[in-house]
C-alpha cells in the first residue's frame, strides 16, 4: 500500500525558508511602479566622446544596472534601448516652438537627423515609447563633458512645468550625492526634449563628466556604476513612498456617457438649474 507522509521540516530548513521569505518580501516594495529608463544617445548619436570613450556606451551601462536594481525591488522596467541603436531613425511628428506666435506646433519636418541642432525624431521616439508603456516615471541617463577638465560632478534635471518631476529629482539627487564621491552640482530645471514631452514625471541624470579624469574613472568603473544605479533606485523608492500622487479635482463619472453627464450636472448644480 502506498502511503502519503507529511514532510518533516528540520530547524535548519525552516530558518532557510524564513530567510527566503524575508528576501522575497523585501524585493517587493509597497509602491511598485512602472519605470521607463532612457539611456541617452545611441547608434548614430554617440553623445560626448572623450579619451576614446563614448557617452552612449556609459549611459547604457549605468541604465542596465539601474534596470536590474529596480526589477530586483519589484518594479516593472521598460527601456528606450538595450543596445547601441538609434531609437528614432525615421521621420515622425515632433514638437517645435514658434517664437513669433508663442505656440508649440506638432508636425513631421521631413528630416531624420538634426533639426535646429536637435535630433528631434530620436528624442520623440523615446517619449513615444515611454508614453505607450504607460510608465509612472521617466528617467533619462546621461553623462557630461566640458571644454575644461576642471568641470565635474553630478546633476539632476526636471522640466520647469513638471512639479512631480521636480519632486522625483529631489529624491534621486539627494541619494546619489550622499552615496557617491561626485561633486554636487544641484538639482535644476530645464527644457530638455525628453523630459518636456514625456507624459509622466520625468528626470534626466547627468552622472558625471567624461572630460574630468576623476569623474571618468568613477562613472566607467563597475563599482561606481553600481553605486549610482543603487542610489537612483533608492531615490525612486523614496519618491513613491512619499505618496506623491494626490487628486486635485474629485473624479466624476458614470457607467456610460449619460451617467457621467448627469453626475456632472448634479455636481455642478446640486440645487438644480433653470436651463
Amino acid at each position: 500500500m502506498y502511503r502519503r507522509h507529511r514532510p518533516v521540516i528540520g530547524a535548519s530548513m525552516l530558518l532557510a525558508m524564513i530567510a527566503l521569505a524575508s528576501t522575497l518580501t523585501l524585493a517587493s516594495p509597497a509602491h511598485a511602479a512602472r519605470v521607463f529608463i532612457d539611456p541617452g544617445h545611441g547608434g548614430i548619436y554617440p553623445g560626448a566622446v572623450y579619451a576614446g570613450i563614448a557617452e552612449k556606451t556609459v549611459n547604457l551601462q549605468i541604465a542596465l544596472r539601474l534596470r536590474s536594481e529596480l526589477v530586483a525591488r519589484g518594479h516593472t522596467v521598460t527601456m528606450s534601448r538595450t543596445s547601441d541603436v538609434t531609437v528614432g531613425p525615421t521621420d515622425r511628428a515632433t514638437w517645435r516652438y514658434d517664437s513669433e506666435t508663442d505656440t508649440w506646433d506638432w508636425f513631421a519636418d521631413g528630416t531624420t537627423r538634426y533639426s535646429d541642432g536637435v535630433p528631434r525624431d530620436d528624442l520623440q521616439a523615446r517619449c513615444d515609447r515611454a508614453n505607450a508603456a504607460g510608465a509612472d516615471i521617466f528617467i533619462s541617463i546621461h553623462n557630461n563633458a566640458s571644454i575644461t577638465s576642471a568641470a565635474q560632478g553630478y546633476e539632476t534635471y526636471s522640466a520647469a512645468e513638471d512639479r512631480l518631476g521636480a519632486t522625483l529629482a529631489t529624491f534621486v539627487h539627494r541619494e546619489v550625492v550622499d552615496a557617491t564621491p561626485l561633486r554636487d552640482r544641484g538639482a535644476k530645471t530645464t527644457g530638455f526634449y525628453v523630459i518636456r514631452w514625456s507624459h509622466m514625471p520625468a528626470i534626466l541624470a547627468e552622472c558625471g563628466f567624461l572630460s574630468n579624469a576623476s569623474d571618468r574613472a568613477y562613472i566607467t568603473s563597475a563599482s561606481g556604476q553600481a553605486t549610482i544605479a543603487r542610489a537612483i533606485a533608492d531615490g525612486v523608492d523614496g519618491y513613491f513612498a512619499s505618496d506623491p500622487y494626490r487628486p486635485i479635482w474629485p473624479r466624476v463619472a458614470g457607467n456610460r456617457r449619460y451617467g457621467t453627464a448627469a453626475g456632472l450636472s448634479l455636481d455642478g448644480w446640486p440645487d438644480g438649474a433653470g436651463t
Side-chain angles (χ1 to χ4, degrees):
M1 180 184 292
Y2 176 80
R3 293 183 179 179
R4 294 182 178 180
H5 297 278
R6 185 184 301 275
V8 178
I9 301 177
S12 59
M13 183 181 294
L14 180 60
L15 290 174
M17 292 175 65
I18 293 174
L20 176 60
S22 299
T23 302
L24 293 174
T25 300
L26 292 174
S28 299
H31 301 276
R34 296 183 298 272
V35 181
F36 189 87
I37 303 176
D38 170 41
H41 307 288
I44 62 175
Y45 304 112
V49 180
Y50 202 91
I53 302 172
E55 179 194 350
K56 64 178 181 178
T57 302
V58 184
N59 295 346
L60 181 59
Q61 291 169 344
I62 295 174
L64 290 173
R65 292 182 185 276
L66 176 58
R67 178 181 66 175
S68 297
E69 189 72 35
L70 289 170
V71 169
R73 299 177 185 214
H75 300 289
T76 300
V77 176
T78 307
M79 297 180 67
S80 60
R81 65 183 182 94
T82 57
S83 60
D84 184 16
V85 297
T86 304
V87 178
T90 58
D91 184 34
R92 67 183 63 218
T94 62
W95 288 104
R96 188 189 303 270
Y97 178 69
D98 186 336
S99 59
E100 293 185 0
T101 60
D102 190 29
T103 58
W104 288 91
D105 295 321
W106 170 257
F107 63 94
D109 58 11
T111 64
T112 56
R113 291 294 298 272
Y114 290 96
S115 177
D116 296 336
V118 178
R120 296 177 186 275
D121 298 310
D122 189 70
L123 300 178
Q124 184 61 50
R126 298 164 193 265
C127 296
D128 291 344
R129 292 187 182 186
N131 299 339
D136 296 307
I137 59 173
F138 180 106
I139 303 174
S140 191
I141 302 295
H142 284 255
N143 284 279
N144 245 322
S146 173
I147 58 174
T148 171
S149 61
Q152 63 182 131
Y154 171 84
E155 51 198 7
T156 315
Y157 289 94
S158 60
E161 305 83 0
D162 186 1
R163 179 177 58 83
L164 288 174
T167 302
L168 174 61
T170 299
F171 275 96
V172 169
H173 190 86
R174 182 173 59 240
E175 294 292 344
V176 174
V177 169
D178 288 347
T180 70
L182 297 166
R183 175 188 166 194
D184 182 359
R185 294 177 62 89
K188 311 169 185 179
T189 58
T190 191
F192 290 145
Y193 195 100
V194 291
I195 58 176
R196 176 68 176 82
W197 297 112
S198 49
H199 296 171
M200 67 286 301
I203 63 171
L204 187 148
E206 291 279 8
C207 298
F209 280 76
L210 287 168
S211 51
N212 178 270
S214 177
D215 276 14
R216 184 169 65 252
Y218 188 77
I219 61 180
T220 58
S221 69
S223 60
Q225 292 177 357
T227 301
I228 292 171
R230 187 163 52 250
I232 293 176
D234 287 343
V236 169
D237 283 346
Y239 169 76
F240 284 110
S242 71
D243 193 22
Y245 301 118
R246 297 182 178 86
I248 298 175
W249 301 103
R251 180 180 295 273
V252 178
N255 59 344
R256 292 191 300 164
R257 62 184 183 276
Y258 307 112
T260 299
L264 287 168
S265 298
L266 291 172
D267 183 73
W269 297 271
D271 298 325
T275 302

